[in-house]
Structures are given as C-alpha cells and as structure tokens.
Amino acid sequence: MKFENKGLQNFVDESVALCTPDKVVLIDGSEEQLEALRAEACSTGEMIKLNQELLPGCYLHRTAVNDVARVEGRTFICTEKKEDAGPTNNWMQKDEAYKMLKGIFKGSMKGRTMYVIPYSMGAVGSPFSKIGIELTDSIYVVLNMAIMTRVGQKVLDTLGPDGDFVRGLHSKADIDEEKRYICQFPEDNTIMSVNSGYGGNVLLGKKCFALRIASYQGRQEGWLAEHMLILGVEKPDGETKYIAAAFPSACGKTNLAMLIPPKEFAEKGYKVFTVGDDIAWIRVGADGRLYAINPENGFFGVAPGTNAKSNPNALATTRRGTIFTNVVHNLENNTVWWEGLDKNPPKNAIDWKGNPWTEEDRANGVKGAHPNSRFTAPAKNCPCISPEFENPQGVPLDAIVFGGRRAKTAPLVYEARDWAHGVFVGSIMASETTAAASGAVGVVRRDPMAMLPFCGYNMGDYFAHWLEMGEKVTKKPKFFNVNWFRTDEEGHFLWPGFGDNLRVLDWILRRTEGKADAVETPIGYVPRPEDIDLSGLDMTTEDVADLLTVDKELWKEDAENIEGFYAKFGDKLPKALADELATLKKNLE
Ligand code: GTP
Ligand code: SPV
Ligand code: MN
C-alpha cells in the first residue's frame, strides 16, 4: 500500500512486517466500504443485524466475557523516565515496553486483514483538530471509529505529505487477559493496544489519544485535554451559556449533556444543547476566555439506566446507525434491551454473554445486559445536538464543574472562591468506582478532575499546568463541584437528578452573572436553599438545606485523606495546592 506521507508509509510498513496480516485495507470513509464491512462482520457472527424497520442501521456486538471494560491495571504510560508518568500511572520504561509489545504483536494478524483508519479528532481541517492513524485487525473497531471520529480519505488529504499524526496499533490477538496491554508512549505520539476488543481499550481515538496522549500534548502546547462533557444552556433571555463538567466514568456526563429541562423550566424558555458527552479540548481564545471543542463525532454511552424518562435524547440518538455492545438481544422482535430501559424485559432473549436469558435467570436477578454495556451512536442523531457542535473555534466556557459519586461528604453544589481554589476542588475529587473499569465497584477513591485513569503524564505536573493556564485566562470561568448522589440512611438518592439537575445549573449560571446569592462555608460557597428553584418539584427548601450541609467532621476526615493522597506527589505538588489544603484545614477548625 502506497502513501504520500512518509511517516505513514513507514508506520504501515513496519506494522505489516511485525503483525504479518494477509491483507491491508485502507478505510476511505465511503458508505459502500463501511456497508461491505458490516455485511462481512454479520457473516462471521462478529455483529448481528438488528430489526431494520425498528432500528435502521443498527447492530449488536458481544465482546468476550473477560473483556467488558477498561483495564486500568494493564494500562501503562511508557516514557524514558518513571517520574514523567508520575505516582498515579502504571509505568513501563519505553524501550522495554516496545520490546515486550513487539513480542506479543509478532504475527498477531496472521490470517487476518489489517485496516488502516485515518481519523481526525475534531472537525476535519480545523486548527484545533489532530489526526490519528489506527491500524487494527477488528472490523468492530473500524465501524465504531467511523461513528466516534471523522474517518477516511479527507483526513489523509488534510494530513498531506509532511503532516504529523498519532500512531495507534491495535490487535485483538487472542483476547488473552494475561497479555492484554494498553500502552501510551506520549513522548513518541504512539499507542499500542493488544488482546482486547472492548471500546475504551481499542477505539484509540478516545481515551488513549484524546485524553492520555492529548493531555501530554496540551501541556507542551499550552492547552487542556479533559474528561468533560460540554453543554449549552439557552436561557429565557435567548442567550446561550456553556458549561464543561468532569465526572468520573459512569457518573452522569452523557445524562447531564443531554438533559431535558423540567416542564417549569421549559415553559420559561430554557433549552439545553449538547456539544460533547465525554471529552473536551480546551484552549485560551484571543479574547482571554476559555474555548472548548468536543474532539469526538459520536457517543459511546452507558446503556443500562438509559430510558425514555431518564434520558430521552440519548435513547432517540440510538434509534438508527448505532452499534450496541453487550446488551440483551430481544429475540421477540430482533431488537435490544437493557436493565432500566423499561419494565418489560423480553421473555425470549439472549443475554450479553450470548446465552439464553431465562425466566429463572430473571427471577434470580441475573442481569441480561452487562452493567458497562454501551451504545455507539452518531452525534448527528442527537435531537439536542448544539448548532455549535462543528464550530472549529469551540464554545466559550462560563463555568467548569467537577463532581463525583459521594454518598455523604460533598454537598449538592458548592462554588470555589477563585481559580486556584477551583483547581484544588478538581484535584480533590473523589468518587465511588463504577463498572466502567474492571475491579471492585463502589469503593471511594480520589480521582482528580476525573482524570486519574487518563492523565498521560505526572499528575503533579498536570496540577501545575492547570494553575498556569489560569494566568493566561483573563476572563475566567467560575468553578463548581456537584454531587447528584447523596443518599439517606437506606441508600436512596436524596436528589432526583437527571433533568432536575438543571435547577443546580441554573444557580451556577446565575452565580456567573452575579445574580444569585450564596453562603460562605469552610469548603466554598453554597447556595441559600431558597436560591435553588424547586418549582414543580415534590421537594421542600428544608430537603435542599439537608443536601447542602457541610459536615465538618466528615470534611476533617476527608482533609486527612487528601493529605495522604497529596503526599504521593512529593515535591511535584504545587505549593498553591498545599496552601489550599492548609486553608481548608484552618476553615474546619
Ligand atoms: P462514561 O461514558 O463512562 O464516561 O459515563 P458518563 O459519565 O457519561 O455517565 P452516564 O451519563 O452514562 O451515567 C452513568 C450512570 O449514572 C447511569 O446508570 C445513569 O442512570 C446514572 N446517572 C446519571 N445521572 C444521574 C443523576 O443525576 N442521578 C442519579 N441518581 N443517577 C444518575
Ligand atoms: C469511560 O469509561 O469513561 C468511558 C467509556 O467513557 S470508555 O470508552 O471505555 O473509556
Ligand atoms: Mn468517559
């Protein structure tokens, strides 16, 4: 295969020599080629074509049962020096990593086709966009990348003869858990992923490039790559304000990005528009404000819990051109189902493992869909996609929101005092772990800026980079922290969440405009309970007051935990953050 771009030619030639595929195919992005690949995947059983009347263009795929989520324990940042990966990443010396990986990739594509996917993160040709090439032996990966990113010849044309790109090599190999590696080489713009077929491990444009590699690039080039949704709120006065929010995996980004305003808000004229649901690339504009783009072109969303009430926009987005992974196959009408879709689980069905999902299974509470089952859906399907979605300059941010799953400590919402305190609030984020990564679920861990699994360099340097960015932003957004997940003694959520989260965003936006009051607490500003608009909600101001309490004893414990976490960073911890922690402790006395 011949390419005009020398670097690309070398990358493909070397990878072919290493993996020895039978055939090499360039993905040109044409519908004919994609359609032929869908047919091929269906003929081999890799995908199942769903009911084309009810779900046009939709397919079902099941991964291996040992391969259903990101594997953080097998994800590595490979650099020359350990210090550059930092205390929160798994590290491998990069030459050793190459050597070890080459052993595993050797001959891994024998008998298979290698697909060459040129893709753009961000609108093709936009100055904020970056190009990647993924080489893979999986049609499922090709078809997902064609939804999640912009792929094909137009990307190669933009790359030109001398353009640089991120190299990504992926092989399913034998889906051997013991030899599964997701390796990032930020110093070399290279990603190598082997022995997995699960989204976050293999759609290399997503977490591997757009966060791990891009966060490193962002530090070199003076911008930020963040695990954030981006949404626009159009207010009754017609003005649209943009918010970016970082929540850990499976903590509500897709849901917040697509929220439907409560009836009372809709009647007043509030509208919400989705710019992105997972990743934001953020730069300082010429006017001194922060601007964010969503580098992706689709949504790789959590299926369970998505329904006509919780997230009708997400559901509508998945009704055509969507690939479902590890959900229930409803044999009654050849469609799909998952827990929380509706109250009628199909009687004649196949579970995510590919086995009949029986009456007995259901009676025993055996789940039909994997808790981390997903849909891959085109952004253009989304009924509330923002008119600014393709804007190459991005959207200006008025608020940056952090949040996680905390049963107790964090109040419904609080506001940081300034930029440095905002960075502190992001850096102390903590959340209960979810099914999005393999390992125990429900364990509280610190997850700064929701980037713990995604930061491509030393997180101490990452904090410093956030602080430095503040010096360049002359018109600063405000920082907030939210927690939709406070529970009562029985573990029930105290806040209704979902669409009602707009009530909190509304206070946030009014704060950015200097139009809402707040009370100062040891951790920052919280709303007066009466400042959260509860109209139409079966909740009292006292209930909200409960959600806003700041329990000093719990926060003292948290401060101890933060201190322990911060200690990992040694002298890489910026002094400004150590000072913020000291202030927090003093405020709690
Ligand atoms: P990733 O794609 O893994 O990054 O996840 P995400 O952050 O986009 O999470 P998503 O919006 O898919 O939500 C994950 C889970 O959280 C789903 O089961 C939702 O039902 C639940 N969830 C989302 N928003 C809320 C909320 O406001 N309140 C409550 N109680 N649950 C929520
Ligand atoms: C996440 O886990 O944060 C996701 C899904 O968005 S994955 O692509 O697996 O990373
Ligand atoms: Mn995510």
Side-chain angles (χ1 to χ4, degrees), residues 208-517:
C208 304
F209 177 173
L211 290 179
R212 296 193 191 101
I213 299 285
S215 61
Y216 176 87
Q217 294 176 328
R219 181 175 178 231
Q220 312 284 312
E221 299 165 11
W223 52 282
L224 293 161
E226 296 298 325
H227 192 199
M228 290 181 178
L229 68 96
I230 310 163
L231 63 73
V233 180
E234 184 182 322
K235 300 173 300 161
D237 64 11
E239 191 191 9
T240 303
K241 296 239 159 160
Y242 294 92
I243 300 173
F247 308 153
S249 302
C251 290
K253 288 181 300 301
T254 304
N255 277 274
L256 190 69
M258 298 184 188
L259 82 73
I260 303 248
K263 190 165 126 278
E264 297 70 22
F265 277 69
E267 282 167 6
K268 276 187 232 160
Y270 283 87
K271 289 190 190 121
V272 169
F273 296 101
T274 310
V275 181
D277 81 326
D278 199 50
I279 296 174
W281 285 0
I282 304 174
R283 292 168 202 254
V284 189
D287 60 358
R289 298 179 77 184
L290 280 182
Y291 285 80
I293 65 158
N294 168 15
E296 300 191 281
N297 201 27
F299 307 115
F300 185 60
V302 177
T306 306
N307 62 54
K309 200 165 163 279
S310 67
N311 195 345
N313 283 324
L315 196 61
T317 305
T318 65
R319 297 298 90 178
R320 62 204 137 91
T322 294
I323 300 172
F324 297 93
T325 301
N326 292 341
V327 299
V328 176
H329 189 192
N330 178 352
L331 297 179
E332 287 162 22
N333 56 5
N334 190 24
T335 60
V336 288
W337 192 86
W338 49 77
E339 278 68 25
L341 174 64
D342 56 40
K343 296 212 162 72
N344 311 305
K347 299 218 157 44
N348 183 9
I350 303 288
D351 69 11
W352 69 271
K353 294 179 178 169
N355 301 318
W357 191 43
T358 63
E359 194 76 54
E360 198 186 335
D361 287 335
R362 286 188 287 278
N364 291 334
V366 175
K367 289 200 159 58
H370 187 274
N372 190 41
S373 54
R374 300 252 167 187
F375 54 79
T376 316
K380 65 174 182 328
N381 282 4
C382 180
C384 58
I385 194 74
S386 165
E388 302 299 316
F389 175 69
E390 298 271 358
N391 185 336
Q393 302 301 324
V395 295
L397 299 179
D398 280 299
I400 291 180
V401 178
F402 299 114
R405 284 177 190 262
R406 293 304 294 272
K408 294 278 171 282
T409 317
L412 179 62
V413 57
Y414 70 100
E415 178 189 328
R417 292 180 291 269
D418 53 29
W419 184 282
H421 185 223
V423 174
F424 174 74
V425 168
S427 79
I428 66 164
M429 264 175 66
S431 194
E432 294 156 20
T433 51
T434 65
S438 58
V441 167
V443 183
V444 175
R445 69 167 184 186
R446 304 232 84 95
D447 185 355
M449 283 85 169
M451 284 288 280
L452 185 74
F454 307 120
C455 185
Y457 59 104
N458 190 314
M459 228 169 185
D461 292 330
Y462 169 78
F463 296 150
H465 180 45
W466 258 101
L467 291 163
E468 280 157 21
M469 285 290 292
E471 288 161 26
K472 293 192 274 181
V473 186
T474 49
K475 298 197 184 84
K476 293 184 170 55
K478 282 181 179 278
F479 287 89
F480 299 83
N481 191 86
V482 298
N483 178 21
W484 316 137
F485 299 93
R486 257 209 196 183
T487 53
D488 62 17
E489 298 313 318
E490 279 98 56
H492 303 120
F493 293 121
L494 290 165
W495 175 250
F498 301 98
D500 288 309
N501 292 334
L502 184 60
R503 299 171 192 276
V504 174
L505 298 186
D506 176 51
W507 178 78
I508 285 175
L509 289 180
R510 282 187 287 127
R511 284 296 290 173
T512 66
E513 296 172 334
K515 290 182 187 160
D517 269 325

Side-chain angles (χ1 to χ4, degrees), residues 68-223:
V68 293
R70 285 181 294 99
V71 278
E72 294 180 3
R74 307 200 65 93
T75 299
F76 290 81
I77 299 298
C78 307
T79 51
E80 196 60 58
K81 294 197 302 256
K82 185 167 197 306
E83 190 193 22
D84 294 327
T88 58
N89 279 312
N90 299 315
W91 174 78
M92 252 189 267
Q93 202 285 333
K94 72 177 183 187
D95 301 318
E96 282 166 27
Y98 282 129
K99 200 166 149 222
M100 184 269 298
L101 288 165
K102 280 181 183 155
I104 301 177
F105 273 101
K106 192 161 187 235
S108 64
M109 297 190 189
K110 205 169 273 165
R112 298 182 190 168
T113 300
M114 174 191 276
Y115 299 96
V116 179
I117 316 173
Y119 64 95
S120 175
M121 299 311 292
V124 178
S126 138
F128 283 10
S129 298
K130 290 195 179 276
I131 290 176
I133 304 287
E134 176 162 358
L135 309 180
T136 179
D137 55 5
S138 159
I139 297 181
Y140 171 77
V141 167
V142 172
L143 296 173
N144 274 270
M145 286 294 284
I147 297 172
M148 294 305 296
T149 72
R150 287 93 169 163
V151 304
Q153 186 59 44
K154 56 186 191 277
V155 178
L156 281 188
D157 296 343
T158 308
L159 181 66
D162 315 304
D164 203 7
F165 59 92
V166 170
R167 282 169 287 275
L169 178 61
H170 164 251
S171 174
K172 295 180 287 191
D174 312 310
I175 314 287
D176 179 351
E177 282 176 283
E178 304 298 317
K179 291 187 183 156
R180 184 171 298 157
Y181 288 98
I182 319 300
C183 291
Q184 283 69 203
F185 300 79
E187 292 156 356
D188 305 342
N189 270 341
T190 296
I191 304 158
M192 296 174 85
S193 163
V194 68
N195 276 305
S196 173
Y198 166 75
N201 298 330
V202 301
L203 307 179
L204 301 185
K206 198 173 179 57
K207 296 309 187 353
C208 304
F209 177 173
L211 290 179
R212 296 193 191 101
I213 299 285
S215 61
Y216 176 87
Q217 294 176 328
R219 181 175 178 231
Q220 312 284 312
E221 299 165 11
W223 52 282

